[in-house]
Amino acid sequence: MNTKKKIIEEALILFSEKGYSDVYVNDIAKAVGIKAPSLYKHFKNKQEIFHAILEELREDYTKQAANIGIHGDNANVDAGIYADVTEEAFIEMGKKLFLYFLHDDRMRLFRKLLTIEQFRDSELADLYSKQYYNDPLSYQGELFKIFISTGKFKRADPLVLALQFYAPIYTLLTVCDRQPEREQEALYMIEEHIRQFNINYSEDKQ
Amino acid sequence: MNTKKKIIEEALILFSEKGYSDVYVNDIAKAVGIKAPSLYKHFKNKQEIFHAILEELREDYTKQAANIGIHGDNANVDAGIYADVTEEAFIEMGKKLFLYFLHDDRMRLFRKLLTIEQFRDSELADLYSKQYYNDPLSYQGELFKIFISTGKFKRADPLVLALQFYAPIYTLLTVCDRQPEREQEALYMIEEHIRQFNINYSEDKQ
DNA sequence: TCCGTTGGCTAATTTAGATTAGCTTAATAA
DNA sequence: TTATTAAGCTAATCTAAATTAGCCAACGGA
């Protein structure tokens, strides 16, 4: 019963590193601790394993998004949380979030998987853009819109602000995904980036 | 004699879309217009074709970098070019550069190839980071350093500025690589981004 | 002209990887 | 207790890809 879960887990690890085609059912079986033919007691074929992973990815994401509040709906609540936070605390939050995205195993593996497989299938391409561009941007955009309307931030296109805030962090995330040894450097850049971003847009700064 | 070039070209197209393992020597041969075994008159095996592509990629990049001046050395010259350019012209240049990166076939294909294969091999990972993070950043950084010292830009860490300038553009590039239909939207965002960037950092603005 | 080299072909060959067949055992429910 | 099902195994099987063998024509230089 738990074997099925385990298959998905191990397959995810393998796929995210080598891509679908370079992982053999044999590898997956070995990682799980069974023989290849036994996999077929749980999945119709290799494709099905991949689909199951995608399903999990979607589910996980929906949960995460609800949690962290990546949807516009929560921006209102979150804006309250951020409203009277100091710059240092804001930086700390940014770094924490970055580290969370970087180190959370599931998220990291899913991200790498989508990165590798994105050109194979337009459904995957859309999923990638949604999860790593559209949704984060629209969430951040909502947040900044509120900041602007409450006078915390200077007046500007909130979506552009969101892009300017998010893209550097996202870029550094992808750097660390492929070169984990650069984490320190990335953290430093993020800190300076957020600091500078505050200088640019915060109304109480000048 | 030209067959060899053609093989590399067609293989690049195929690899960049489906990745190394999902392209069969047969596919390459067919694209070139010969039979699979004939490929072996030009390359020892499939791996060699891939290596040859990587070689081209490196060469091309060195040339491009020299041309566009992605190395710090040229920043001085380029700074002169940008020195007395209006905001609108600056935006136009940014968009042109973006479109060039996006549409130049070789560059686009190489970029996609590296994206897909980056986790397979740390050499590829390093190459990716160098070409799409380190080098652009250090070039932009040099440029901004000059802008700052000549009083064109406000005082700030040039590398952070470079990150803030480059990351959004790079991010949009990757969006368009997987969803080419979003080019217009990307161009709009780039325009607004550069405009805003100027507002933030240009000394003659406010 | 003639020979060797280049680059193409068809027809094997080899290999590896996905999947199926069919057996076994243990738990589970009637 | 017995029948059924779930989940494992080993031993095929099937297929598709990569590569090799060996033949042939064109062509460029001696």
Side-chain angles (χ1 to χ4, degrees):
Chain A
M1 210 13 73
N2 239 351
T3 304
K4 191 160 184 172
K5 282 274 170 215
K6 185 123 199 256
I7 292 171
I8 292 178
E9 224 153 274
E10 298 293 341
L12 169 58
I13 295 173
L14 291 165
F15 285 153
S16 74
E17 203 60 29
K18 333 218 253 164
Y20 181 79
S21 302
D22 282 345
V23 172
Y24 314 128
V25 286
N26 211 341
D27 301 338
I28 303 174
K30 201 170 283 177
V32 172
I34 60 180
K35 301 290 168 150
S38 304
L39 290 176
Y40 292 81
K41 297 293 175 171
H42 303 276
F43 295 94
K44 212 175 93 233
N45 53 35
K46 192 179 163 188
Q47 268 300 328
E48 289 295 308
I49 300 179
F50 187 76
H51 281 318
I53 289 178
L54 277 194
E55 275 321 299
E56 293 247 329
L57 182 156
R58 272 186 250 263
E59 273 172 43
D60 265 40
Y61 180 73
T62 321
K63 267 186 233 152
Q64 294 286 359
N67 248 358
I68 311 204
I70 242 132
H71 294 315
D73 337 338
N74 300 46
N76 260 299
V77 183
D78 295 354
I81 295 169
Y82 292 120
D84 47 0
V85 106
T86 68
E87 184 193 51
E88 287 310 314
F90 193 50
I91 290 168
E92 235 15 77
M93 288 166 72
K95 284 161 81 172
K96 282 244 180 64
L97 203 62
F98 171 78
L99 286 176
Y100 172 67
F101 275 102
L102 182 61
H103 290 308
D104 182 88
D105 274 346
R106 308 270 1 276
M107 297 193 88
R108 202 186 75 254
L109 296 176
F110 283 145
R111 193 168 57 239
K112 291 174 79 170
L113 181 61
L114 281 183
T115 302
I116 293 182
E117 303 289 338
Q118 62 181 321
F119 302 130
R120 192 184 304 282
D121 171 355
S122 77
E123 197 197 342
L124 295 180
D126 294 349
L127 196 58
Y128 190 112
S129 281
K130 174 179 160 51
Q131 294 198 2
Y132 303 112
Y133 180 81
N134 295 32
D135 284 359
L137 227 63
S138 79
Y139 168 73
Q140 288 286 348
E142 286 303 313
L143 203 60
F144 289 147
K145 195 196 279 185
I146 296 168
F147 283 7
I148 291 166
S149 71
T150 58
K152 183 179 166 66
F153 265 21
K154 297 193 177 119
R155 198 156 280 292
D157 182 338
L159 219 51
V160 172
L161 289 213
L163 179 65
Q164 292 185 339
F165 183 79
Y166 173 72
I169 297 173
Y170 165 77
T171 300
L172 287 164
L173 196 60
T174 66
V175 169
C176 289
D177 277 340
R178 79 185 138 258
Q179 301 178 298
E181 70 275 16
R182 300 180 72 173
E183 182 175 324
Q184 281 317 308
E185 172 197 347
L187 280 174
Y188 170 79
M189 288 301 282
I190 285 179
E191 173 161 348
E192 293 307 306
H193 159 56
I194 299 182
R195 206 181 293 287
Q196 188 63 46
F197 187 84
N198 262 328
I199 293 176
N200 294 340
Y201 293 114
S202 179
E203 273 295 12
D204 20 281
K205 289 263 160 184
Q206 166 42 274
Chain B
M1 211 16 74
N2 240 351
T3 305
K4 191 160 183 171
K5 281 274 171 218
K6 184 124 199 252
I7 292 171
I8 292 178
E9 223 154 275
E10 298 294 340
L12 169 57
I13 294 174
L14 291 166
F15 285 153
S16 73
E17 202 60 31
K18 332 215 258 165
Y20 180 79
S21 303
D22 282 343
V23 172
Y24 313 126
V25 285
N26 211 343
D27 301 336
I28 302 174
K30 201 170 282 178
V32 172
I34 59 180
K35 301 292 168 148
S38 304
L39 290 176
Y40 292 82
K41 298 290 175 170
H42 304 275
F43 294 95
K44 213 176 92 233
N45 53 33
K46 192 179 163 187
Q47 268 301 326
E48 289 295 308
I49 300 179
F50 188 77
H51 281 319
I53 290 178
L54 277 195
E55 275 322 296
E56 294 248 328
L57 182 157
R58 272 186 250 263
E59 274 172 41
D60 264 43
Y61 180 73
T62 320
K63 268 186 235 152
Q64 293 287 359
N67 248 357
I68 311 203
I70 241 130
H71 293 317
D73 338 338
N74 299 47
N76 260 300
V77 183
D78 295 356
I81 296 169
Y82 291 122
D84 47 359
V85 106
T86 67
E87 183 191 51
E88 288 309 315
F90 193 51
I91 290 168
E92 234 17 75
M93 288 166 72
K95 283 160 82 171
K96 282 244 181 63
L97 203 61
F98 171 79
L99 286 175
Y100 172 66
F101 276 102
L102 183 61
H103 291 308
D104 182 87
D105 272 347
R106 307 247 56 238
M107 296 194 87
R108 202 185 76 256
L109 296 176
F110 284 145
R111 193 167 57 240
K112 290 174 81 171
L113 182 62
L114 280 183
T115 302
I116 293 182
E117 303 289 340
Q118 62 182 319
F119 301 130
R120 191 185 303 284
D121 172 353
S122 77
E123 196 197 343
L124 296 179
D126 294 350
L127 197 57
Y128 190 113
S129 281
K130 172 178 162 52
Q131 295 199 0
Y132 302 113
Y133 181 80
N134 294 32
D135 284 359
L137 226 62
S138 78
Y139 168 71
Q140 288 286 348
E142 285 304 312
L143 203 59
F144 290 147
K145 197 196 277 185
I146 296 168
F147 284 5
I148 291 167
S149 70
T150 58
K152 184 179 166 64
F153 265 22
K154 298 195 176 118
R155 196 156 280 294
D157 181 337
L159 218 52
V160 172
L161 289 213
L163 179 65
Q164 291 185 339
F165 182 78
Y166 173 73
I169 296 174
Y170 166 76
T171 300
L172 288 164
L173 196 62
T174 66
V175 169
C176 289
D177 277 340
R178 78 185 139 258
Q179 300 178 298
E181 71 275 15
R182 299 181 73 173
E183 181 175 324
Q184 281 317 308
E185 173 197 348
L187 279 174
Y188 171 78
M189 287 302 282
I190 285 178
E191 173 161 350
E192 294 306 308
H193 159 56
I194 300 182
R195 207 181 292 288
Q196 187 63 48
F197 188 84
N198 261 328
I199 294 177
N200 294 339
Y201 293 114
S202 178
E203 272 296 9
D204 22 279
K205 288 265 161 180
Q206 159 57 282

